[in-house]
Amino acid sequence: QVQLVESGGGLVQPGGSLRLSCAASGRAFSTYTMGWFRQAPGKEREFVVAITWSGHSTHYADSVKGRFTISRDNAANTVYLQMNSLKPEDTAVYYCAAGKSTYDYWGQGTQVTVSP
């Protein structure tokens, strides 16, 4: 069982940066692939980025490539999402998720709003 808690969301101007954190409980954190997803108002939840258990492999949605960076610290049971050059269309609730073949565990989400 893994519990996930996101933090770091907030209001930022276009072009600004935010760093999201996802703290996990449970001893198996280092064995899970971790992902970030987001859901904007009136839209379906969409994939943003994922990182393998070792941190050696990542996969980004085209919409965030070159602007967002995922990383993880297995010793701290935490995964991070550095978001730079934010755009209004990045506004959404951001969720972290953990799993192996599927994402079985989800956090409650943190709101990111990009607005002048």
Side-chain angles (χ1 to χ4, degrees):
Q1 189 78 8
V2 176
Q3 292 185 326
L4 305 172
V5 179
E6 303 95 336
S7 62
L11 173 65
V12 63
Q13 292 186 343
S17 298
L18 282 175
R19 188 193 196 202
L20 306 184
S21 299
C22 175
S25 64
R27 290 175 289 179
F29 172 80
S30 62
T31 68
Y32 288 103
T33 291
M34 299 297 297
W36 286 96
F37 293 76
R38 65 187 182 186
Q39 188 167 19
K43 295 187 177 181
E44 294 188 352
R45 186 167 55 193
E46 65 174 0
F47 170 81
V48 176
V49 60
I51 187 168
T52 55
W53 67 270
S54 65
H56 291 161
S57 182
T58 57
H59 177 63
Y60 291 86
D62 287 343
S63 58
V64 305
K65 278 182 183 177
R67 300 188 298 122
F68 290 11
T69 303
I70 190 171
S71 60
R72 67 188 297 164
D73 182 344
N74 286 341
N77 278 16
T78 304
V79 64
Y80 304 97
L81 181 63
Q82 178 67 43
M83 305 186 295
N84 298 329
S85 302
L86 283 161
K87 304 175 181 179
E89 51 264 44
D90 295 317
T91 295
V93 178
Y94 283 71
Y95 300 89
C96 70
K100 295 185 178 180
S101 56
T102 60
Y103 289 103
D104 299 314
Y105 305 103
W106 293 83
Q108 296 285 72
T110 185
Q111 176 71 46
V112 171
T113 302
V114 185
S115 179

